[in-house]
């Protein structure tokens, strides 16, 4: 199982459904073993979403108003920074090819650089 998830490669496509209150968004999902970002306080994984994907959620332009808001440190090949994260009411990861779904207890990170939701495949594939 370790080897299978460590060297995960898939052409499978996903969608991430994020609900905050009565508002929901559906974002294109990308399973990436390189996303190992977790919150140091709760230990929850972070799904990194572009601000554009989350635009229909009220207060996304002022994320400090969202439930569970805080800044967490992260590193990329281009450097280190702080990422705003919040706690959604519900997150579901759905495989578009198989129709399988899995609920995820995660935080949502907000970034300007992308238009997809990047998640670790461990959130979807059981080891």
């Amino acid at each position: 199982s370790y080897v299978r998830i460590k060297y995960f490669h898939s052409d499978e496509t996903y969608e991430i459904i994020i609900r905050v209150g009565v508002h929901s968004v559906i974002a294109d999902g990308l399973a990436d073993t390189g996303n190992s970002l977790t919150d140091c306080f709760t230990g929850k994984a972070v799904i990194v979403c572009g601000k554009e994907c989350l635009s229909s959620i009220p207060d996304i332009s002022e994320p400090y108003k969202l439930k569970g808001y805080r800044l967490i440190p992260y590193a990329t090949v281009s450097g280190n920074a702080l990422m705003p994260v919040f706690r959604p009411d519900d997150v579901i990861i759905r495989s578009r090819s198989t129709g399988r779904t899995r609920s995820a207890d995660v935080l949502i990170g907000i970034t300007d650089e992308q238009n997809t939701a990047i998640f670790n495949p461990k959130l979807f594939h059981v080891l």
Side-chain angles (χ1 to χ4, degrees):
S1 293
Y2 171 78
V3 172
R4 182 172 49 95
I5 202 70
K6 178 75 174 165
Y7 298 102
F8 174 81
H9 174 70
S10 174
D11 295 333
E12 195 167 356
T13 58
Y14 301 90
E15 59 186 18
I16 310 296
I17 302 149
I18 303 166
R19 185 178 63 82
V20 177
V22 296
H23 302 279
S24 292
V25 296
I26 299 174
D28 291 331
L30 175 64
D32 181 5
T33 56
N35 178 2
S36 59
L37 187 59
T38 57
D39 177 43
C40 58
F41 294 112
T42 64
K44 291 183 180 186
V46 177
I47 295 178
V48 181
C49 294
K51 193 180 272 190
E52 183 180 313
C53 296
L54 303 169
S55 62
S56 64
I57 294 175
D59 298 327
I60 201 65
S61 60
E62 300 175 301
Y64 58 86
K65 293 181 178 180
L66 296 167
K67 182 171 55 174
Y69 168 82
R70 66 177 151 278
L71 297 172
I72 62 170
Y74 73 101
T76 64
V77 292
S78 59
N80 301 323
L82 294 173
M83 179 181 295
V85 298
F86 68 94
R87 189 177 64 246
D89 293 320
D90 194 26
V91 173
I92 296 178
I93 302 171
R94 180 183 312 156
S95 166
R96 287 187 174 135
S97 56
T98 66
R100 260 184 50 204
T101 62
R102 182 161 314 270
S103 181
D105 185 18
V106 297
L107 297 175
I108 301 297
I110 306 167
T111 183
D112 292 328
E113 291 88 35
Q114 68 205 38
N115 59 0
T116 58
I118 299 175
F119 67 97
N120 190 303
K122 289 180 184 179
L123 293 172
F124 188 76
H125 297 281
V126 179
L127 295 178

